[in-house]
Amino acid sequence: MAHDDKTPTFNWRIREQLFGRRILVLDGPLDDDNGALLMTQLLTLAAEDAEAGISLWIHSPGGSVPAMLAIRDVMRLVPCEVSTLALGLACSAGQFLLSAGTPGRRFALPHARILMHQGSAGIGGSAVEVEVQADDLRYTVQTVLGLISEDTGQPYDQIFEDSLHDRWFTATQAREYGFIDGIVDSFWQVVPQRQRVGIS
């Protein structure tokens, strides 16, 4: 039986160093805990400097829909540019956050893969409960697909059709579809730029 007791290599010290450089990381599944952390970090950095950019680096198989919607709300709320970067994998909620970055500031590494799909939800209980859950799921799906349509420039019907089954995109395909604006070819594309203060 395998034991997952290895020391994590991406620890809090590294995260704090990146935070000090205005870089946030979503690595692994998005859940309520790391979702709330990302939201508070975005707000904290914006309060610290409303003009300097923030970067969100993504390597995630997806996760919580409420968390991803809340993070997008905060990304739109803060006055800073929020650049997004797909490091290797941006699936479902990862894809949603990737495309929710500031237009012109959404990137992917050359061999990153992006996955779009509607996701699924377990529905059960009495007939009335099933109906209520189905209505809520329908509303959530329409909301998410509408926002993806807004962020990519693709028609809603196209987004709906493409999300019915898992659809994988290369970085080039993701750029053509509108998930990202560019494929990284320079280090400075992925590092937040602070405003220079002083006498020139």
Side-chain angles (χ1 to χ4, degrees):
M1 185 173 180
H3 296 280
D4 187 14
D5 57 359
K6 67 177 183 178
T7 303
T9 55
F10 196 56
N11 58 31
W12 281 104
R13 177 170 294 179
I14 295 172
R15 292 178 192 277
E16 287 175 1
Q17 290 173 349
L18 291 171
F19 181 76
R21 291 170 172 79
R22 301 180 69 84
I23 298 168
L24 310 179
V25 180
L26 171 59
D27 61 316
L30 175 65
D31 58 32
D32 292 339
D33 290 336
N34 60 11
L37 176 62
L38 288 171
M39 286 182 266
T40 57
Q41 288 178 321
L42 283 163
L43 291 166
T44 299
L45 290 173
E48 176 188 280
D49 188 337
E51 296 184 0
I54 300 170
S55 285
L56 173 60
W57 293 355
I58 300 166
H59 182 72
S60 174
S64 168
V65 173
M68 79 178 192
L69 287 169
I71 292 169
R72 186 188 189 278
D73 286 345
V74 173
M75 290 168 70
R76 289 294 186 273
L77 178 66
V78 298
C80 316
E81 284 191 348
V82 181
S83 175
T84 54
L85 170 66
L87 294 172
L89 193 66
C91 300
S92 193
Q95 167 270 302
F96 181 87
L97 294 176
L98 174 66
S99 59
T102 300
R105 300 293 302 161
R106 305 170 304 167
F107 300 100
L109 292 179
H111 293 99
R113 298 299 302 274
I114 291 90
L115 170 68
M116 179 175 66
H117 69 173
Q118 280 191 17
S120 59
I123 294 179
S126 69
V128 173
E129 290 170 335
V130 167
E131 185 176 347
V132 170
Q133 292 174 60
D135 286 342
D136 183 64
L137 178 60
R138 190 177 303 110
Y139 170 80
T140 300
V141 168
Q142 290 173 349
T143 299
V144 170
L145 298 185
L147 292 172
I148 295 174
S149 173
E150 179 183 320
D151 292 340
T152 61
Q154 295 285 345
Y156 178 90
D157 289 345
Q158 184 69 53
I159 297 290
F160 178 83
E161 184 69 26
D162 291 340
S163 70
L164 290 175
H165 305 284
D166 287 359
R167 181 166 178 189
W168 288 94
F169 296 79
T170 65
T172 299
Q173 291 168 337
R175 181 178 58 190
E176 293 168 353
Y177 200 82
F179 290 131
I180 61 173
D181 304 297
I183 300 170
V184 173
D185 60 12
S186 165
F187 174 72
W188 302 110
Q189 289 176 301
V190 300
V191 177
Q193 302 299 304
R194 290 183 178 271
Q195 296 291 328
R196 293 188 177 182
V197 179
I199 301 172
S200 55

